[in-house]
Amino acid sequence: GENVEQHPSTLSVQEGDSAVIKCTYSDSASNYFPWYKQELGKRPQLIIDIRSNVGEKKDQRIAVTLNKTAKHFSLHITETQPEDSAVYFCAANTGNQFYFGTGTSLTVIP
Amino acid sequence: KAGVTQTPRYLIKTRGQQVTLSCSPISGHRSVSWYQQTPGQGLQFLFEYFSETQRNKGNFPGRFSGRQFSNSRSEMNVSTLELGDSALYLCASSLGGRDGTQYFGPGTRLTVL
């Protein structure tokens, strides 16, 4: 089955800096890649997603890039703010089910 | 639209007992998936139901089962609870396409003593 690896597991950045989280996947059939943000004690919230026919997608300070050849996709957060502190999960969908990365705990230091 | 809801939010059980968790999807969503979330393992897929049928299943023992009703509400049952079943159980709903966007509920925190 699909295997999604996510790095780093923890990330600390200064407020205003950029943060990058990377995920790799193994199944070339994966065609949909969402990113979720989970604040402490809350549900995972979809923040951005990308489909395999698109290489990049941006939504204000958040962007996602996809490299199908290398089978990796990344989340980019620019101008980080303290409220960006949370755990971020990537996921890949093979058309049958979602496979999640193990999460990145992002801390934005004021 | 109201979001995905789950009941109860917290549960404490003892080993050997069984438990039933409930999930109400977003109105119009026909697919409900269940996940187990633990600090070490992240989000692990349990199963997915679509139109009252289990469409996909993860690698969990048969003690974990589920069902879906005609109104798309879903229940998950865990029998003969073990200490290792302590986790946050999340359900997610989507319209039903196999790669449709999923929206999560708040989860049920299960503690097994």
Side-chain angles (χ1 to χ4, degrees), chain B residues 87-101:
Chain B
L88 180 67
Y89 290 88
L90 292 159
C91 74
S93 77
S94 70
L95 284 171
R98 288 188 175 272
D99 59 353
T101 302

Side-chain angles (χ1 to χ4, degrees), chain A residues 8-30:
Chain A
S9 56
T10 60
L11 180 60
S12 292
V13 299
Q14 292 289 332
E15 181 177 358
D17 287 350
S18 295
V20 179
I21 303 170
K22 298 182 179 181
C23 288
T24 61
Y25 62 98
S26 60
D27 192 339
S28 58
S30 291

